[in-house]
Amino acid sequence: MGVDVHDVFEQANQSDELRAAVRQRATNMVQRARRIDAKETDSRNEFHLAEEFRRDGRYVVNVHSSDVEGEYGTSRAKRMRILRRAMGGR
C-alpha cells in the first residue's frame, strides 16, 4: 500500500494549524521589522502581509515593506535590509 505524497502535501498545506503557524511566524517577523524600523527610521515604513498558494501548492505568507529602495539600496537610498534582519538574516 503506497502513500501518495502529493495528497499528503496538499492536505498539510490546507490545514488550519499549518496556516495559523505560518501566519504567526510572518506576524512575528513584522513585529521585529517594526521595532527595527522604529529604532532606525522613526517608523516611516509600513509593513503588510500577503497570503498566497505557490504553484506547487505550498501556502506562504509574504511580508512586504513600503520602503523597497531601502530594502535593496539604490543610488538614492541607503540599504537598510529591515525585512532581512527581521527574518534573522545578515
Side-chain angles (χ1 to χ4, degrees), residues 15-16 36-37 47 62 77 89:
S15 76
D16 292 337
I36 294 168
D37 186 49
F47 302 95
N62 294 312

Side-chain angles (χ1 to χ4, degrees), residues 45-81:
N45 299 312
E46 294 180 24
F47 302 95
H48 68 275
L49 303 176
E51 300 179 41
E52 67 179 61
F53 283 93
R54 297 258 168 100
R55 283 187 294 162
D56 65 359
R58 186 167 45 116
Y59 174 74
V60 295
V61 178
N62 294 312
V63 180
H64 297 278
S65 170
S66 62
D67 184 21
V68 175
E69 287 187 343
E71 192 62 31
Y72 298 104
T74 66
S75 60
R76 298 177 308 227
K78 179 181 175 186
R79 183 176 179 187
M80 300 295 292
R81 299 183 325 210

Side-chain angles (χ1 to χ4, degrees), residues 11-22:
Q11 288 174 3
N13 277 282
Q14 294 293 333
S15 76
D16 292 337
E17 294 84 8
L18 179 130
R19 293 172 76 175
V22 172

